[in-house]
Amino acid sequence: TQDGEPPRQRVTGTLVLAVFSAVLGSLQFGYNIGVINAPQKVIEQSYNETWLGRQGPEGPSSIPPGTLTTLWALSVAIFSVGGMISSFLIGVVSQWLGRKRAMLVNNILAVLGGTLMGLANAAASYEMLILGRFLIGAYSGLTSGLVPMYVGEIAPTHLRGALGTLNQLAIVIGILIAQVTGPGLMSAPTRPVPPAPAPGGPLPSRDSSSQVFLVERAGRRTLHLLGLAGMCGCAILMTVALLLLERVPAMSYVSIVAIFGFVAFFEIGPGPIPWFIVAELFSQGPRPAAMAVAGFSNWTCNFIIGMGFQYIAEAMGPYVFLLFAVLLLCFFTFTFLRVPETRGRTFDQISADFRRTPSLLEQEVKPSTELEYLGPDDEND
Ligand SMILES: *[C@@H]1O[C@H](CO)[C@@H](O)[C@H](O)[C@H]1NC(C)=O
């Protein structure tokens, strides 16, 4: 009954160990997304002292607020710049060194970045912290592509979804560890969790742990569509709540529900699924290039949202989430029309799918493709 499908392979100790080691990189990635939020006040105070120290005893008594804001924004956003640049190199590096050695060598960036950040305070240098954030961003950019690629490649077809979810889970756990230990270790006032379209991507949410295996059951495409539709609904609910907030105070609760729903649906669909689909859509040859394009777009959008959200929110007021609702509707439509299901299917089966829905031009040129419509439908396995 499973025509054309590879034989089912067992989960071996080696496979578990390899996947576990690989997703540790994603844990580190997640940690560095989350870690910057909690100690904001501590870091700002340190920047203030550093700046004052450099002015000498006769200088001003406080860092100008504008300078502090710039330094802080730079410390946050430079992470995405590092990710943007390095994610573009995923293809080159993973071809040149191989996936495994690329992940190993990538750790040099993490060690360098961590060392710089760790010593920045003692050395009274914000340049070191910013450079460290840049390097750890570069590490994260490579990780964001290398880990799903490696895990997708070593996993047997029927386990790809389940094992791939571990990657997203590791990122979320990393963020969570950073959020939990951040305030404790630094004893700093916590900044509230940023709004859902926040820089740095996924936010911790409870339902992500129940995802393992859900991806295998429901299929990537269905989950992605569900996530996008849910996020779109939550964005509309958020807009309504913000518009009515003046007259109906209870709307503040509705907006909280909307934000949590937004994040939950993100974790179901657009958070993890695009990484699966990209890793599964392409065979080994073009996969690194595809992951690089995906990673670069992801990090660029992170950066744009991180830098631009403040300004867009000021310009659009309560309608800002309507913009996201419209975009999400576009993404939903595109996914519905163009994105194939990749669950439990080999690359040949998936690429055959693309050949079955030829563009208008191809239809005119090769009418013989029609024969392929008559092929067996392996959707209901
Ligand atoms: C910077 O430090 C000085 C001295 O401790 C303090 O008076 C000032 O309020 C601080 N400025 C900021 C922006 O934290």
Side-chain angles (χ1 to χ4, degrees), residues 33 36-37 69-70 72-81 84 133 191 194-203 297-314 320 323-324:
I33 292 174
I36 196 75
N37 290 334
T69 309
T70 309
W72 172 252
L74 201 59
S75 311
V76 176
I78 197 94
F79 179 77
S80 300
V81 177
M84 228 151 65
R133 283 281 293 171
R191 203 166 74 150
L203 292 168
S297 336
N298 194 299
W299 283 98
T300 307
C301 294
N302 265 350
F303 182 71
I304 293 172
I305 291 284
M307 292 299 282
F309 184 77
Q310 228 86 315
Y311 303 99
I312 302 170
E314 272 173 35
V320 65
L323 179 71
F324 289 98

Side-chain angles (χ1 to χ4, degrees), residues 99-276:
R99 280 61 155 154
K100 184 180 149 190
R101 209 174 318 150
M103 286 193 294
L104 278 174
V105 171
N106 191 21
N107 285 312
I108 296 173
L109 285 176
V111 171
L112 272 180
T115 310
L116 280 172
M117 290 190 289
L119 297 177
N121 194 32
S125 161
Y126 29 73
E127 293 86 354
M128 275 171 72
L129 196 128
I130 292 170
L131 183 63
R133 283 281 293 171
F134 174 78
L135 290 178
I136 208 83
Y139 163 86
S140 301
L142 281 171
T143 302
S144 72
L146 289 173
V147 174
M149 197 188 328
Y150 178 76
V151 172
E153 285 178 354
I154 62 167
T157 310
H158 69 285
L159 287 172
R160 259 188 337 226
L163 294 179
T165 311
L166 288 180
N167 177 47
Q168 186 67 17
L169 192 62
I171 297 175
V172 171
I173 292 174
I175 298 174
L176 205 62
I177 293 175
Q179 302 278 16
V180 170
T181 57
L185 292 180
M186 312 295 287
S187 51
T190 30
R191 203 166 74 150
V193 180
L203 292 168
S205 76
R206 297 172 77 214
D207 56 314
S208 54
S209 57
S210 61
Q211 255 181 7
V212 182
F213 296 110
L214 185 61
V215 200
E216 282 309 335
R217 285 232 169 148
R220 335 295 195 225
R221 191 171 173 276
T222 315
L223 283 179
H224 195 52
L225 287 171
L226 179 72
L228 289 172
M231 285 176 79
C232 184
C234 289
I236 294 171
L237 188 65
M238 190 69 190
T239 311
V240 173
L242 286 177
L243 283 172
L244 295 179
L245 197 58
E246 292 276 288
R247 271 172 290 156
V248 190
M251 278 297 152
S252 58
Y253 297 104
V254 177
S255 67
I256 290 173
V257 170
I259 280 287
F260 275 102
F262 194 90
V263 176
F265 280 113
F266 174 81
E267 289 294 344
I268 289 174
I273 302 295
W275 297 106
F276 285 109

Side-chain angles (χ1 to χ4, degrees), residues 45 48 52 61-63 68:
Q45 188 51 41
N48 182 15
L52 286 176
S61 64
S62 172
I63 187 170
L68 188 59

Side-chain angles (χ1 to χ4, degrees), residues 239 312 316 319-328:
T239 311
I312 302 170
M316 297 186 69
Y319 294 100
V320 65
F321 285 97
L322 218 49
L323 179 71
F324 289 98
V326 171
L327 287 173
L328 284 160

